[in-house]
Amino acid sequence: MRSERYKEKKPKKKKWKIFVLILFLLFFGTIGYSYFQYKQGVLQSKEKTGVAEQEFEFHGNKGKNGETNILLLGIDKRGERTSRSDTIMIAQYHPDKDSYKLISIMRDTYVNIPGHGKNKINAAFAFGGPELVRQTIKENFDIDLQYYSIVDFEGFVNLIDEAFPQGVEIEVEKAMSENIGVTLQPGLQRLDGEHLLAYARFRHDAEGDFGRVERQQKVIKEVANQFASFQTITKLPKLVGVMTPFVNTNMDPTDILYIGKDLISKNNRDIETLRIPLDSTYQNKRIGGGIGSVLDIDFEKNKQAIHEFLAN
């Protein structure tokens, strides 16, 4: 009897081993595939820029309530230390709330830069890299930033072209051409990386930088939405690799993959946005000493708006 029972149970044990082996192969196969795709993306882009080769100090801190705040800086001079940041944003990811928020700070906002007196906020990067930008935001708006990412605009172009071979669908509200290197016509259309970047950077109209910030936020939202419209998750490791040579960041690739995976999922892709300064909370002023036109803002109103926006 014992011998017969043993013979009956043996095939089940064998099937269980095969099942475990298949899971093992799938797990490590996925990791291997992801790593291969990531390295392919890096090799595809690494000869085009040196922005990621620079080293910056950054003494960031995690948010008090478990949120991750990331300083996003856009540059167009391949990471030279003397360049000013063309785009300044704070991106927040809160895993417990599945929320994504984006704050754009106007580059002409007149702030106190620690150790350098009052100046436009975009001068902080030229004076002391992302660490000084972090200190400036902390002092003026009381926000803790854990990570930074300095993005070469050429990397944005490469990312869009790799992720969207047919272009990103977006509504261009007017004709645009001045100082962006291309000509854009109004209407709903698909833009490749070069034209989408030009759309996001255009500012030579009555709205100036305010219109540009609005378009930048619009582009980020549209890209996030259209990422989720098809199975992009399998391409994510390669996309991170494509961007890596164009990004100087203190984030690990695994952190980027983790946040990016949730962002492009259908349930979590909504991005809330805020622009600083708020309407009616600033005055246009001209400052001597080579500083020029600035936005002199009401710090209390804007700081309150930021904290309410992030808390909610």
Side-chain angles (χ1 to χ4, degrees), residues 254-271:
T254 52
D255 293 326
I256 300 173
L257 284 169
Y258 174 71
I259 295 175
K261 172 182 66 65
D262 286 346
L263 176 60
I264 65 176
S265 69
K266 293 185 177 181
N267 293 329
N268 299 322
R269 69 176 182 260
D270 185 50
I271 301 175

Side-chain angles (χ1 to χ4, degrees), residues 197-268:
L197 177 62
Y199 172 77
R201 299 190 68 194
F202 178 76
R203 64 187 181 93
H204 291 277
D205 59 5
E207 296 178 327
D209 274 337
F210 288 91
R212 180 173 67 164
V213 166
E214 184 177 341
R215 280 187 288 275
Q216 288 173 348
Q217 294 181 343
K218 176 182 174 181
V219 165
I220 290 174
K221 284 185 173 183
E222 287 299 329
V223 169
N225 275 323
Q226 291 174 49
F227 259 124
S229 65
F230 56 88
Q231 298 299 319
T232 319
I233 193 70
T234 57
K235 298 179 68 175
L236 189 56
K238 185 176 182 180
L239 295 178
V240 173
V242 167
M243 280 294 292
T244 296
F246 296 96
V247 177
N248 186 309
T249 182
N250 62 341
M251 297 181 70
D252 291 329
T254 52
D255 293 326
I256 300 173
L257 284 169
Y258 174 71
I259 295 175
K261 172 182 66 65
D262 286 346
L263 176 60
I264 65 176
S265 69
K266 293 185 177 181
N267 293 329
N268 299 322

Side-chain angles (χ1 to χ4, degrees), residues 21 41 71 77-78 93 95 129 132 151 206 234 241 251-252 280 284 288 298:
L21 179 61
L71 173 64
K77 291 189 176 181
R78 295 178 181 254
Y93 169 62
L132 187 57
V151 183
T234 57
M251 297 181 70
D252 291 329
S280 304
N284 291 296
D298 184 323

